[in-house]
Amino acid sequence: MPLEDLVTGHGTAEAAVDNEIPERVRRTLEDYLHERLRQCGELDPAVAGAAGELADFVLRGGKRIRPTFAWWGWRAAGGPAFGRRASTMLRAASSLELIQAGALVHDDLIDDSATRRGSPTVHVRFAEAHREHGYTGSAEDFGLATAVLLGDLALTWADDMLHSAGLPRVALERALEPWRAMRTEVLAGQYLDMLGQARADESPEAALRIDELKSASYTVERPLQFGAEIAGADRKTLEVLRRFGADIGVAFQLRDDLLGLFGDPAVTGKPAGDDLREGKRTVLMAEGVLRARQQREETTLKLFESSLGDTELTGERVRLVREGLERLGAVRAVEERIDTLSRSALSTLHTSELPEPAVRALERLAVSVTDREA
C-alpha cells in the first residue's frame, strides 16, 4: 500500500509503516533500479547485464540499517509516518543503500574478499564470467576493473536518487551537509584502515578512530542526522541524535569485529577470520596484541602478528587466535566497551525530549545492532 493511501493520524497505520521500513526501502530500490536498468539497456545489453549484477547485489541482502536510522531521525524530529512528505523522505533514505553498495563493492576489492552475503563478491563474479566466456587478457584484471566501475555506478546512482527524490529545495540543502560529510568520512576511514595495515599500526586508539570514521559516522550518526535535517530538526534534537549515534555506531562496529571472528558464517555471510586474513587491525586485535605484550606472552604475540594478513590462515589457527584473545581478556574488554557505549547512548536517549515512538524505536535499534546473536 502506498504511503499516501494510509489514513492520516491513525496510530495503527503509523505503527505499520514504521515497522515495515526495511521492506519499503527494498521495494523503493527495486522500482528505482528497474528504471535505471531500462536506461542501461538502451545503451547496450552488455551494460544492462553488468548493471543488473549490481542491482541484484543491492536487492538480495542487507538489513537496511542506514535508511532505517535515517527514517527514525526523521520521525524523532517530528516527520510524519505517512503522506507525500514521508514518501519523499523514504526515497531519499533509500539512496543511502546505494552508497553502502558502492562502498561494499570497493571494500571487497580492496580486501580481496571472496564472498559477501554468502555469494561471490563482484570482482570475483566478473573474473569468473571472464574465464567462462573465454575472453582474452587477465580475468582478475577484468574483475577488478568491473568492480571499480560498478562501485562508482552505485555511488553515482545514490546521488541521482537523492536529488530526484522530490525533497523541497531547503530540505535537500539541509540533507546535503550530512550526506557530504558521511561520504568523505567513510573514505577517510577506509584510507586510514589501509594505512594502518601498511604501517602495522596495532594501537587500540588508531583502530578506534577508524571505527569512528568508517562505521559509526557512516552507519548511525550521519544517517540519523540526515533524516532529522530533512525534517527540519532543531539544534537540540540534532545534538541528541548525534551523541546517541556516535556511541551506538562504535558499539555496532565493535560487535561486528567480534562476529567477524566468533560469529557463524551462515549468519555473517563471510568466512570466520576474514578480518585476520585481510590484516585488519581491529580494536579486538589491538587489545589482544597490547595485552600479549603487557603479559609477556611471546608465543601468543607471535601467533597474533603472524596471523594478521595471512591469506592462507587455517581454521585451526583462527581457533587458536580466538582462544588467545579470550584468555588474555581482550574479548571481555571489547564486550565491556560495547556495554559502556550502549549504556551511554541509551542514557542520552532516555534523558532527551525526543517524541514517541522514536525513543522506543531507537532503543530497539540500539539493542539489535549491538546484540551478541546478530
Side-chain angles (χ1 to χ4, degrees), residues 202 204 207-208 211 253-262 275-276 280-291 304 321-322 325-326 329-335:
E202 295 161 349
L208 189 60
D211 287 352
Q253 184 56 49
L254 294 177
R255 175 60 62 203
D256 197 57
D257 293 343
L258 285 167
L259 289 171
L261 196 52
F262 292 89
D275 284 352
L276 286 173
K280 290 187 180 297
R281 268 65 180 177
T282 63
V283 172
L284 175 63
M285 286 307 300
E287 285 283 355
V289 169
L290 178 63
R291 287 161 185 267
F304 289 167
V321 169
R322 287 173 178 161
L325 291 169
E326 289 182 312
V331 174
R332 183 176 64 253
V334 172
E335 291 282 8

mmCIF file of all heavy atoms in Angstrom, residues 202 204 207-208 211 253-262 275-276 280-291 304 321-322 325-326 329-335:
data_model
loop_
_atom_site.group_PDB
_atom_site.id
_atom_site.type_symbol
_atom_site.label_atom_id
_atom_site.label_comp_id
_atom_site.label_asym_id
_atom_site.label_seq_id
_atom_site.Cartn_x
_atom_site.Cartn_y
_atom_site.Cartn_z
ATOM 1 N N GLU A 202 49.217 -1.175 15.504
ATOM 2 C CA GLU A 202 48.425 -2.086 16.330
ATOM 3 C C GLU A 202 47.825 -1.403 17.549
ATOM 4 O O GLU A 202 47.335 -2.066 18.460
ATOM 5 C CB GLU A 202 49.301 -3.268 16.768
ATOM 6 C CG GLU A 202 49.750 -4.125 15.589
ATOM 7 C CD GLU A 202 50.941 -5.002 15.908
ATOM 8 O OE1 GLU A 202 51.543 -4.802 16.978
ATOM 9 O OE2 GLU A 202 51.269 -5.870 15.083
ATOM 10 N N PRO A 204 45.164 0.412 19.960
ATOM 11 C CA PRO A 204 43.704 0.483 20.051
ATOM 12 C C PRO A 204 43.167 1.849 19.640
ATOM 13 O O PRO A 204 42.073 1.948 19.083
ATOM 14 C CB PRO A 204 43.434 0.197 21.535
ATOM 15 C CG PRO A 204 44.617 -0.590 22.001
ATOM 16 C CD PRO A 204 45.777 -0.032 21.228
ATOM 17 N N ALA A 207 42.776 2.024 15.856
ATOM 18 C CA ALA A 207 41.654 1.182 15.433
ATOM 19 C C ALA A 207 40.323 1.837 15.775
ATOM 20 O O ALA A 207 39.368 1.786 14.983
ATOM 21 C CB ALA A 207 41.757 -0.187 16.102
ATOM 22 N N LEU A 208 40.260 2.479 16.943
ATOM 23 C CA LEU A 208 39.025 3.141 17.350
ATOM 24 C C LEU A 208 38.705 4.324 16.448
ATOM 25 O O LEU A 208 37.543 4.565 16.104
ATOM 26 C CB LEU A 208 39.131 3.595 18.805
ATOM 27 C CG LEU A 208 37.851 4.127 19.453
ATOM 28 C CD1 LEU A 208 36.764 3.051 19.437
ATOM 29 C CD2 LEU A 208 38.135 4.575 20.881
ATOM 30 N N ASP A 211 37.089 3.083 13.387
ATOM 31 C CA ASP A 211 35.701 2.727 13.676
ATOM 32 C C ASP A 211 34.811 3.962 13.694
ATOM 33 O O ASP A 211 33.677 3.934 13.202
ATOM 34 C CB ASP A 211 35.597 2.006 15.020
ATOM 35 C CG ASP A 211 36.127 0.581 14.963
ATOM 36 O OD1 ASP A 211 36.436 0.104 13.857
ATOM 37 O OD2 ASP A 211 36.224 -0.056 16.024
ATOM 38 N N GLN A 253 30.222 -1.373 15.403
ATOM 39 C CA GLN A 253 31.421 -1.871 14.731
ATOM 40 C C GLN A 253 32.201 -2.828 15.623
ATOM 41 O O GLN A 253 32.748 -3.831 15.144
ATOM 42 C CB GLN A 253 32.322 -0.723 14.291
ATOM 43 C CG GLN A 253 33.539 -1.183 13.502
ATOM 44 C CD GLN A 253 33.170 -2.010 12.288
ATOM 45 O OE1 GLN A 253 32.318 -1.625 11.497
ATOM 46 N NE2 GLN A 253 33.807 -3.178 12.135
ATOM 47 N N LEU A 254 32.258 -2.549 16.910
ATOM 48 C CA LEU A 254 32.939 -3.464 17.831
ATOM 49 C C LEU A 254 32.250 -4.829 17.840
ATOM 50 O O LEU A 254 32.908 -5.874 17.859
ATOM 51 C CB LEU A 254 32.971 -2.878 19.237
ATOM 52 C CG LEU A 254 33.807 -1.606 19.416
ATOM 53 C CD1 LEU A 254 33.685 -1.087 20.847
ATOM 54 C CD2 LEU A 254 35.270 -1.847 19.068
ATOM 55 N N ARG A 255 30.910 -4.807 17.814
ATOM 56 C CA ARG A 255 30.179 -6.084 17.735
ATOM 57 C C ARG A 255 30.477 -6.783 16.416
ATOM 58 O O ARG A 255 30.665 -8.004 16.366
ATOM 59 C CB ARG A 255 28.684 -5.811 17.878
ATOM 60 C CG ARG A 255 27.792 -7.044 17.685
ATOM 61 C CD ARG A 255 28.103 -8.130 18.700
ATOM 62 N NE ARG A 255 27.846 -7.676 20.040
ATOM 63 C CZ ARG A 255 28.401 -8.187 21.132
ATOM 64 N NH1 ARG A 255 29.264 -9.196 21.018
ATOM 65 N NH2 ARG A 255 28.133 -7.703 22.330
ATOM 66 N N ASP A 256 30.545 -6.021 15.340
ATOM 67 C CA ASP A 256 30.835 -6.596 14.033
ATOM 68 C C ASP A 256 32.224 -7.245 14.024
ATOM 69 O O ASP A 256 32.413 -8.306 13.422
ATOM 70 C CB ASP A 256 30.750 -5.507 12.964
ATOM 71 C CG ASP A 256 30.633 -6.078 11.561
ATOM 72 O OD1 ASP A 256 29.696 -6.859 11.309
ATOM 73 O OD2 ASP A 256 31.484 -5.748 10.713
ATOM 74 N N ASP A 257 33.185 -6.610 14.690
ATOM 75 C CA ASP A 257 34.530 -7.179 14.784
ATOM 76 C C ASP A 257 34.501 -8.523 15.515
ATOM 77 O O ASP A 257 35.168 -9.484 15.105
ATOM 78 C CB ASP A 257 35.475 -6.228 15.514
ATOM 79 C CG ASP A 257 35.746 -4.956 14.732
ATOM 80 O OD1 ASP A 257 35.481 -4.935 13.511
ATOM 81 O OD2 ASP A 257 36.222 -3.983 15.342
ATOM 82 N N LEU A 258 33.732 -8.585 16.600
ATOM 83 C CA LEU A 258 33.624 -9.839 17.347
ATOM 84 C C LEU A 258 32.943 -10.919 16.505
ATOM 85 O O LEU A 258 33.389 -12.072 16.466
ATOM 86 C CB LEU A 258 32.832 -9.617 18.643
ATOM 87 C CG LEU A 258 33.584 -8.899 19.767
ATOM 88 C CD1 LEU A 258 32.616 -8.451 20.852
ATOM 89 C CD2 LEU A 258 34.646 -9.815 20.380
ATOM 90 N N LEU A 259 31.877 -10.536 15.808
ATOM 91 C CA LEU A 259 31.173 -11.510 14.977
ATOM 92 C C LEU A 259 32.048 -11.989 13.817
ATOM 93 O O LEU A 259 31.949 -13.139 13.382
ATOM 94 C CB LEU A 259 29.881 -10.893 14.429
ATOM 95 C CG LEU A 259 28.764 -10.675 15.454
ATOM 96 C CD1 LEU A 259 27.636 -9.858 14.842
ATOM 97 C CD2 LEU A 259 28.239 -12.000 15.983
ATOM 98 N N GLY A 260 32.924 -11.101 13.316
ATOM 99 C CA GLY A 260 33.805 -11.488 12.228
ATOM 100 C C GLY A 260 34.749 -12.614 12.608
ATOM 101 O O GLY A 260 35.185 -13.387 11.746
ATOM 102 N N LEU A 261 35.056 -12.728 13.897
ATOM 103 C CA LEU A 261 35.974 -13.767 14.360
ATOM 104 C C LEU A 261 35.251 -14.917 15.062
ATOM 105 O O LEU A 261 35.660 -16.067 14.959
ATOM 106 C CB LEU A 261 37.001 -13.150 15.311
ATOM 107 C CG LEU A 261 38.262 -13.964 15.606
ATOM 108 C CD1 LEU A 261 38.952 -14.412 14.331
ATOM 109 C CD2 LEU A 261 39.226 -13.146 16.462
ATOM 110 N N PHE A 262 34.160 -14.583 15.752
ATOM 111 C CA PHE A 262 33.466 -15.593 16.553
ATOM 112 C C PHE A 262 32.078 -15.947 16.023
ATOM 113 O O PHE A 262 31.442 -16.862 16.526
ATOM 114 C CB PHE A 262 33.317 -15.101 18.001
ATOM 115 C CG PHE A 262 34.611 -14.998 18.754
ATOM 116 C CD1 PHE A 262 35.355 -13.833 18.713
ATOM 117 C CD2 PHE A 262 35.097 -16.064 19.499
ATOM 118 C CE1 PHE A 262 36.557 -13.721 19.407
ATOM 119 C CE2 PHE A 262 36.295 -15.966 20.195
ATOM 120 C CZ PHE A 262 37.031 -14.802 20.142
ATOM 121 N N ASP A 275 38.756 -11.006 8.669
ATOM 122 C CA ASP A 275 39.450 -9.782 9.090
ATOM 123 C C ASP A 275 40.926 -10.063 9.365
ATOM 124 O O ASP A 275 41.795 -9.233 9.072
ATOM 125 C CB ASP A 275 38.798 -9.187 10.347
ATOM 126 C CG ASP A 275 37.497 -8.470 10.035
ATOM 127 O OD1 ASP A 275 37.183 -8.298 8.843
ATOM 128 O OD2 ASP A 275 36.793 -8.083 10.989
ATOM 129 N N LEU A 276 41.207 -11.225 9.930
ATOM 130 C CA LEU A 276 42.602 -11.612 10.171
ATOM 131 C C LEU A 276 43.336 -11.791 8.840
ATOM 132 O O LEU A 276 44.444 -11.278 8.656
ATOM 133 C CB LEU A 276 42.656 -12.918 10.958
ATOM 134 C CG LEU A 276 42.312 -12.879 12.445
ATOM 135 C CD1 LEU A 276 42.250 -14.299 12.993
ATOM 136 C CD2 LEU A 276 43.346 -12.064 13.205
ATOM 137 N N LYS A 280 43.367 -6.745 9.047
ATOM 138 C CA LYS A 280 42.707 -5.615 9.683
ATOM 139 C C LYS A 280 43.111 -5.494 11.146
ATOM 140 O O LYS A 280 43.005 -6.451 11.912
ATOM 141 C CB LYS A 280 41.188 -5.748 9.570
ATOM 142 C CG LYS A 280 40.676 -5.548 8.161
ATOM 143 C CD LYS A 280 39.163 -5.510 8.136
ATOM 144 C CE LYS A 280 38.655 -5.302 6.716
ATOM 145 N NZ LYS A 280 39.064 -4.014 6.154
ATOM 146 N N ARG A 281 43.549 -4.294 11.519
ATOM 147 C CA ARG A 281 43.910 -4.021 12.920
ATOM 148 C C ARG A 281 42.667 -3.526 13.648
ATOM 149 O O ARG A 281 42.476 -2.333 13.881
ATOM 150 C CB ARG A 281 45.017 -2.974 12.995
ATOM 151 C CG ARG A 281 46.427 -3.508 13.030
ATOM 152 C CD ARG A 281 46.833 -4.231 11.772
ATOM 153 N NE ARG A 281 48.221 -4.723 11.858
ATOM 154 C CZ ARG A 281 48.797 -5.433 10.921
ATOM 155 N NH1 ARG A 281 48.139 -5.756 9.832
ATOM 156 N NH2 ARG A 281 50.046 -5.842 11.067
ATOM 157 N N THR A 282 41.770 -4.445 13.979
ATOM 158 C CA THR A 282 40.551 -4.072 14.688
ATOM 159 C C THR A 282 40.877 -3.745 16.138
ATOM 160 O O THR A 282 41.959 -4.060 16.649
ATOM 161 C CB THR A 282 39.534 -5.221 14.653
ATOM 162 O OG1 THR A 282 40.103 -6.356 15.347
ATOM 163 C CG2 THR A 282 39.206 -5.635 13.221
ATOM 164 N N VAL A 283 39.914 -3.127 16.822
ATOM 165 C CA VAL A 283 40.099 -2.852 18.251
ATOM 166 C C VAL A 283 40.306 -4.167 18.993
ATOM 167 O O VAL A 283 41.134 -4.239 19.918
ATOM 168 C CB VAL A 283 38.888 -2.084 18.817
ATOM 169 C CG1 VAL A 283 38.973 -1.967 20.339
ATOM 170 C CG2 VAL A 283 38.793 -0.690 18.186
ATOM 171 N N LEU A 284 39.583 -5.200 18.606
ATOM 172 C CA LEU A 284 39.732 -6.511 19.244
ATOM 173 C C LEU A 284 41.163 -7.020 19.140
ATOM 174 O O LEU A 284 41.771 -7.434 20.136
ATOM 175 C CB LEU A 284 38.763 -7.504 18.600
ATOM 176 C CG LEU A 284 38.864 -8.959 19.063
ATOM 177 C CD1 LEU A 284 38.541 -9.082 20.540
ATOM 178 C CD2 LEU A 284 37.928 -9.846 18.221
ATOM 179 N N MET A 285 41.728 -7.003 17.931
ATOM 180 C CA MET A 285 43.094 -7.489 17.767
ATOM 181 C C MET A 285 44.104 -6.554 18.421
ATOM 182 O O MET A 285 45.118 -7.010 18.968
ATOM 183 C CB MET A 285 43.406 -7.661 16.274
ATOM 184 C CG MET A 285 42.737 -8.859 15.635
ATOM 185 S SD MET A 285 43.038 -10.421 16.517
ATOM 186 C CE MET A 285 44.828 -10.536 16.448
ATOM 187 N N ALA A 286 43.841 -5.259 18.379
ATOM 188 C CA ALA A 286 44.745 -4.310 19.021
ATOM 189 C C ALA A 286 44.797 -4.557 20.528
ATOM 190 O O ALA A 286 45.869 -4.510 21.142
ATOM 191 C CB ALA A 286 44.294 -2.880 18.741
ATOM 192 N N GLU A 287 43.638 -4.839 21.116
ATOM 193 C CA GLU A 287 43.594 -5.168 22.549
ATOM 194 C C GLU A 287 44.369 -6.454 22.823
ATOM 195 O O GLU A 287 45.097 -6.560 23.819
ATOM 196 C CB GLU A 287 42.147 -5.336 23.012
ATOM 197 C CG GLU A 287 41.373 -4.039 23.171
ATOM 198 C CD GLU A 287 41.739 -3.300 24.451
ATOM 199 O OE1 GLU A 287 42.517 -3.839 25.265
ATOM 200 O OE2 GLU A 287 41.247 -2.169 24.628
ATOM 201 N N GLY A 288 44.215 -7.436 21.932
ATOM 202 C CA GLY A 288 44.915 -8.699 22.123
ATOM 203 C C GLY A 288 46.422 -8.540 22.051
ATOM 204 O O GLY A 288 47.160 -9.063 22.897
ATOM 205 N N VAL A 289 46.909 -7.804 21.035
ATOM 206 C CA VAL A 289 48.351 -7.581 20.883
ATOM 207 C C VAL A 289 48.896 -6.812 22.086
ATOM 208 O O VAL A 289 49.957 -7.151 22.629
ATOM 209 C CB VAL A 289 48.631 -6.825 19.568
ATOM 210 C CG1 VAL A 289 50.071 -6.339 19.522
ATOM 211 C CG2 VAL A 289 48.342 -7.735 18.374
ATOM 212 N N LEU A 290 48.185 -5.770 22.503
ATOM 213 C CA LEU A 290 48.632 -4.971 23.646
ATOM 214 C C LEU A 290 48.738 -5.825 24.903
ATOM 215 O O LEU A 290 49.737 -5.760 25.636
ATOM 216 C CB LEU A 290 47.644 -3.818 23.876
ATOM 217 C CG LEU A 290 47.932 -2.905 25.070
ATOM 218 C CD1 LEU A 290 49.266 -2.192 24.895
ATOM 219 C CD2 LEU A 290 46.796 -1.888 25.247
ATOM 220 N N ARG A 291 47.752 -6.646 25.162
ATOM 221 C CA ARG A 291 47.752 -7.485 26.369
ATOM 222 C C ARG A 291 48.804 -8.590 26.289
ATOM 223 O O ARG A 291 49.414 -8.940 27.304
ATOM 224 C CB ARG A 291 46.353 -8.088 26.579
ATOM 225 C CG ARG A 291 45.353 -7.045 27.054
ATOM 226 C CD ARG A 291 43.909 -7.478 26.820
ATOM 227 N NE ARG A 291 43.016 -6.391 27.176
ATOM 228 C CZ ARG A 291 42.450 -6.244 28.379
ATOM 229 N NH1 ARG A 291 42.653 -7.161 29.325
ATOM 230 N NH2 ARG A 291 41.668 -5.214 28.644
ATOM 231 N N PHE A 304 49.430 -13.925 17.026
ATOM 232 C CA PHE A 304 48.609 -12.802 16.570
ATOM 233 C C PHE A 304 49.259 -12.098 15.380
ATOM 234 O O PHE A 304 48.617 -11.844 14.358
ATOM 235 C CB PHE A 304 48.410 -11.792 17.698
ATOM 236 C CG PHE A 304 47.513 -12.261 18.818
ATOM 237 C CD1 PHE A 304 47.468 -11.569 20.025
ATOM 238 C CD2 PHE A 304 46.707 -13.374 18.675
ATOM 239 C CE1 PHE A 304 46.642 -11.990 21.058
ATOM 240 C CE2 PHE A 304 45.876 -13.811 19.710
ATOM 241 C CZ PHE A 304 45.846 -13.111 20.900
ATOM 242 N N VAL A 321 43.767 -18.245 17.697
ATOM 243 C CA VAL A 321 43.691 -16.801 17.918
ATOM 244 C C VAL A 321 42.511 -16.476 18.821
ATOM 245 O O VAL A 321 42.626 -15.673 19.751
ATOM 246 C CB VAL A 321 43.566 -16.049 16.572
ATOM 247 C CG1 VAL A 321 43.217 -14.573 16.806
ATOM 248 C CG2 VAL A 321 44.860 -16.159 15.775
ATOM 249 N N ARG A 322 41.383 -17.103 18.568
ATOM 250 C CA ARG A 322 40.207 -16.889 19.412
ATOM 251 C C ARG A 322 40.517 -17.225 20.865
ATOM 252 O O ARG A 322 40.196 -16.455 21.773
ATOM 253 C CB ARG A 322 39.055 -17.782 18.941
ATOM 254 C CG ARG A 322 38.379 -17.390 17.663
ATOM 255 C CD ARG A 322 37.405 -18.506 17.327
ATOM 256 N NE ARG A 322 36.627 -18.264 16.141
ATOM 257 C CZ ARG A 322 36.002 -19.202 15.452
ATOM 258 N NH1 ARG A 322 36.089 -20.471 15.845
ATOM 259 N NH2 ARG A 322 35.286 -18.898 14.382
ATOM 260 N N LEU A 325 42.733 -14.577 22.460
ATOM 261 C CA LEU A 325 42.013 -13.329 22.747
ATOM 262 C C LEU A 325 41.123 -13.474 23.973
ATOM 263 O O LEU A 325 41.021 -12.549 24.798
ATOM 264 C CB LEU A 325 41.171 -12.928 21.535
ATOM 265 C CG LEU A 325 41.947 -12.478 20.297
ATOM 266 C CD1 LEU A 325 41.025 -12.365 19.092
ATOM 267 C CD2 LEU A 325 42.653 -11.142 20.546
ATOM 268 N N GLU A 326 40.503 -14.630 24.115
ATOM 269 C CA GLU A 326 39.647 -14.867 25.288
ATOM 270 C C GLU A 326 40.492 -14.995 26.551
ATOM 271 O O GLU A 326 40.167 -14.406 27.600
ATOM 272 C CB GLU A 326 38.804 -16.118 25.069
ATOM 273 C CG GLU A 326 37.710 -15.917 24.034
ATOM 274 C CD GLU A 326 36.844 -17.147 23.847
ATOM 275 O OE1 GLU A 326 37.399 -18.260 23.687
ATOM 276 O OE2 GLU A 326 35.614 -16.996 23.868
ATOM 277 N N GLY A 329 41.815 -11.704 27.911
ATOM 278 C CA GLY A 329 40.814 -10.726 28.341
ATOM 279 C C GLY A 329 40.458 -9.691 27.297
ATOM 280 O O GLY A 329 39.717 -8.734 27.581
ATOM 281 N N ALA A 330 40.951 -9.855 26.062
ATOM 282 C CA ALA A 330 40.654 -8.878 25.002
ATOM 283 C C ALA A 330 39.178 -8.910 24.624
ATOM 284 O O ALA A 330 38.564 -7.858 24.392
ATOM 285 C CB ALA A 330 41.523 -9.150 23.779
ATOM 286 N N VAL A 331 38.604 -10.102 24.557
ATOM 287 C CA VAL A 331 37.185 -10.224 24.220
ATOM 288 C C VAL A 331 36.335 -9.561 25.294
ATOM 289 O O VAL A 331 35.408 -8.799 24.993
ATOM 290 C CB VAL A 331 36.787 -11.704 24.044
ATOM 291 C CG1 VAL A 331 35.284 -11.841 23.851
ATOM 292 C CG2 VAL A 331 37.529 -12.317 22.869
ATOM 293 N N ARG A 332 36.674 -9.848 26.549
ATOM 294 C CA ARG A 332 35.927 -9.231 27.652
ATOM 295 C C ARG A 332 36.035 -7.711 27.611
ATOM 296 O O ARG A 332 35.045 -6.995 27.831
ATOM 297 C CB ARG A 332 36.443 -9.755 29.001
ATOM 298 C CG ARG A 332 35.655 -9.221 30.201
ATOM 299 C CD ARG A 332 36.133 -9.821 31.509
ATOM 300 N NE ARG A 332 37.518 -9.444 31.806
ATOM 301 C CZ ARG A 332 38.552 -10.266 31.718
ATOM 302 N NH1 ARG A 332 38.361 -11.528 31.343
ATOM 303 N NH2 ARG A 332 39.774 -9.853 32.002
ATOM 304 N N ALA A 333 37.223 -7.187 27.292
ATOM 305 C CA ALA A 333 37.425 -5.731 27.235
ATOM 306 C C ALA A 333 36.554 -5.099 26.156
ATOM 307 O O ALA A 333 35.976 -4.024 26.359
ATOM 308 C CB ALA A 333 38.891 -5.417 26.979
ATOM 309 N N VAL A 334 36.449 -5.761 25.005
ATOM 310 C CA VAL A 334 35.624 -5.225 23.923
ATOM 311 C C VAL A 334 34.141 -5.315 24.290
ATOM 312 O O VAL A 334 33.370 -4.381 24.037
ATOM 313 C CB VAL A 334 35.912 -5.962 22.598
ATOM 314 C CG1 VAL A 334 34.919 -5.545 21.513
ATOM 315 C CG2 VAL A 334 37.339 -5.679 22.135
ATOM 316 N N GLU A 335 33.739 -6.429 24.905
ATOM 317 C CA GLU A 335 32.348 -6.552 25.362
ATOM 318 C C GLU A 335 32.008 -5.444 26.359
ATOM 319 O O GLU A 335 30.920 -4.848 26.302
ATOM 320 C CB GLU A 335 32.109 -7.919 26.007
ATOM 321 C CG GLU A 335 32.134 -9.094 25.052
ATOM 322 C CD GLU A 335 30.837 -9.231 24.254
ATOM 323 O OE1 GLU A 335 29.977 -8.324 24.339
ATOM 324 O OE2 GLU A 335 30.698 -10.239 23.537
#
